[in-house]
Amino acid sequence: MKFSFRPTEGAFYELFTRAAQNLVKGTELLNELGLPGADVQSISERLTDIEHDSDQITHELYKKINSTFITPFDREDIYRLGSLLDDVMDHLEAVGNLLYLYGLTKLPSLPRELHELVNVLDLQAKLTAEAMPRLKSMKDLEDYWIECNRLENDGDQAYRMLLVRLFSGEYDALTVLKMKEVADELEAACDAFEHVANTVETIAVKES
């Protein structure tokens, strides 16, 4: 039987789980943008509130790292995972804010490919939220990082097709510039979810 000198400090796992649950809330809000009569200002403001809560969770995590003598796994990995989860939330908030501030939701409709990217993010968020509690046992995580990486490939494809749509001549130049910035944030969020999954894989390999 394997014996470990590391404690099973529950607070770290709870903070990771709370941070990941906020990502699900964030992607669900972005999905509301596709609903008829969506209140874009409200969605943007609620995303900002969630982002502030995620910042607080990250600060709690850093304080916990500094006040804990022996951590459940490497401090550097705890710090990195917390920072990457926060990065995803930053990108999700930026999407909502840009759509609102640039007035892009006043278009007859947002590109279908943009909604496809949001759907990919929603799946990644749910996978991540389901995986975080399993860090405590370090079991049944492989399917998570494999699927999250596969979804990132789907996100890349949707991003490329969105760019094709933007540069097809359907939109005026200013709208293209604004929408490209939103597209870049969406793709960055997809990549950030993959970075979270890769970090979880690294942690699991170290602890196995």
Side-chain angles (χ1 to χ4, degrees):
M1 188 172 105
K2 184 182 176 185
F3 181 79
S4 174
F5 287 100
R6 292 188 185 276
T8 55
E9 173 57 71
F12 289 106
Y13 306 111
E14 289 167 13
L15 290 167
F16 289 139
T17 299
R18 283 170 53 198
Q21 287 169 345
N22 272 353
L23 300 180
V24 174
K25 294 176 185 176
T27 57
E28 287 176 346
L29 281 173
L30 290 182
N31 264 323
E32 285 186 25
L33 292 167
L35 300 176
D39 186 339
V40 186
Q41 181 176 356
S42 172
I43 291 170
S44 176
E45 289 172 351
R46 282 181 284 161
L47 275 166
T48 297
D49 289 341
I50 296 170
E51 193 275 332
H52 289 165
D53 185 57
S54 289
D55 280 344
Q56 184 59 41
I57 291 169
T58 305
H59 293 316
E60 287 181 46
L61 181 69
Y62 293 166
K63 283 173 64 178
K64 189 69 181 171
I65 293 171
N66 292 331
S67 63
T68 302
F69 182 59
I70 302 177
T71 55
F73 47 91
D74 288 350
R75 291 173 191 274
E76 294 80 6
D77 290 330
I78 293 174
Y79 182 92
R80 177 168 173 75
L81 183 55
S83 178
L84 289 171
L85 288 165
D86 192 51
D87 286 347
V88 181
M89 191 66 240
D90 288 342
H91 292 304
L92 298 181
E93 183 205 16
V95 171
N97 286 351
L98 289 171
L99 284 169
Y100 170 60
L101 293 172
Y102 285 164
L104 290 168
T105 51
K106 294 175 184 175
L107 295 170
S109 65
L110 291 170
R112 172 179 53 80
E113 295 82 3
L114 187 147
H115 293 299
E116 288 175 358
L117 258 171
V118 171
N119 287 336
V120 170
L121 289 171
D122 193 46
L123 291 171
Q124 286 182 306
K126 288 179 169 67
L127 272 175
T128 304
E130 291 167 2
M132 288 302 107
R134 300 202 295 272
L135 279 171
K136 194 165 187 176
S137 65
M138 291 293 170
K139 292 179 180 177
D140 303 318
L141 285 165
E142 185 174 358
D143 287 347
Y144 151 66
W145 66 66
I146 290 173
E147 179 62 8
C148 202
N149 288 335
R150 188 195 67 76
L151 285 168
E152 193 275 334
N153 292 332
D154 288 350
D156 279 345
Q157 178 66 16
Y159 172 72
R160 287 190 290 268
M161 296 311 295
L162 177 54
L163 294 186
V164 169
R165 177 85 173 269
L166 291 180
F167 294 110
S168 68
E170 180 179 344
Y171 302 98
D172 63 81
L174 185 57
T175 298
V176 170
L177 288 173
K178 293 175 180 178
M179 197 77 78
K180 172 69 164 56
E181 194 170 342
V182 173
D184 288 345
E185 288 291 348
L186 286 166
E187 198 230 359
C190 275
D191 288 344
F193 270 121
E194 183 182 38
H195 296 156
V196 169
N198 290 343
T199 299
V200 169
E201 181 179 10
T202 298
I203 293 167
V205 169
K206 284 182 181 180
E207 296 299 310
S208 61

